[in-house]
Amino acid sequence: VDSNGGGSEAGQEIANAIRTFGKPSVAVIHGGGVSSGYLVAAAADRILALEGSTVGSIGATYSFLNQYEKNKKEGIVYEQLSSGPFKDTFSPDKPLTDAEREIITRDLDILRNNFVAQVAMYRRLPVEKVAALADGSTMLGAQALENGLIDGIGGTREALAHLEQIIGEPVSLCWQ
């Protein structure tokens, strides 16, 4: 894994595929297993990371650029023509309303809680422990090991050795 994440849906799809693969799995986090990239790694039976690997960033974000003030200064006027008051919620050309912020926050809470629950289930950790780590921050390999987000410090060689021990025969990488 060398991913800073992406959409929660893609991470969930890949994690589901790993969980239903039916074969032993080891994820190796190289540069980073962050956000959805970490969720994918968490779905494996075992996770290894290097000491300098960046791990975690459990949480959700809906961030966007807002150029309303710039447009106002430049005399650009936003004309709202939409089928409902929330249809243009993420438009960068208008200020975010309190009602929109409330809906976005609601959805972020749901996404975060789902993420926490999945990591807790995959890693066999108490939900409360994962929730305490789910502030969006990352940690390096040794700290991730201390917090139960990975199973060991190591790389590809150690992952292959682990799989060979489990299945009792040599393992080859699919890209070699």
Side-chain angles (χ1 to χ4, degrees):
V1 177
D2 200 356
S3 172
N4 288 326
S8 63
E9 303 83 6
Q12 289 172 356
E13 286 286 348
I14 298 168
N16 290 341
I18 291 169
R19 294 303 279 192
T20 59
F21 186 55
K23 305 232 183 244
S25 58
V26 178
V28 178
I29 297 174
H30 287 232
V34 178
S35 197
S36 282
Y38 176 70
L39 180 64
V40 167
D45 299 326
R46 182 169 175 80
I47 305 173
L48 300 177
L50 302 170
E51 288 181 1
S53 299
T54 305
V55 179
S57 188
I58 300 168
T61 184
Y62 276 147
S63 300
F64 65 101
L65 294 175
N66 186 315
Q67 57 191 26
Y68 169 73
E69 291 296 330
K70 176 184 172 214
N71 289 350
K72 187 174 164 184
K73 182 178 176 184
E74 293 177 4
I76 298 171
V77 176
Y78 177 76
E79 297 290 344
Q80 180 181 4
L81 301 170
S82 58
S83 61
F86 301 110
K87 185 64 182 165
D88 62 351
T89 294
F90 288 100
S91 171
D93 297 310
K94 68 175 197 62
L96 197 63
T97 67
D98 290 341
E100 290 169 330
R101 187 173 299 278
E102 189 174 307
I103 288 171
I104 293 168
T105 301
R106 175 203 65 196
D107 291 350
L108 284 171
D109 289 343
I110 292 168
L111 289 170
R112 179 194 179 274
N113 292 339
N114 289 345
F115 194 164
V116 166
Q118 285 181 297
V119 169
M121 178 183 65
Y122 294 159
R123 300 294 304 149
R124 293 180 250 8
L125 293 170
V127 170
E128 301 78 23
K129 178 176 176 102
V130 177
L133 298 171
D135 62 2
S137 67
T138 61
M139 58 190 78
L140 298 178
Q143 189 179 12
L145 180 61
E146 288 174 23
N147 283 294
L149 294 183
I150 65 171
D151 298 299
I153 300 296
T156 303
R157 186 181 72 224
E158 291 81 6
L160 292 174
H162 176 75
L163 288 172
E164 285 180 9
Q165 182 180 20
I166 289 173
I167 65 173
E169 60 185 68
V171 175
S172 62
L173 297 172
C174 60
W175 65 81
Q176 290 184 336

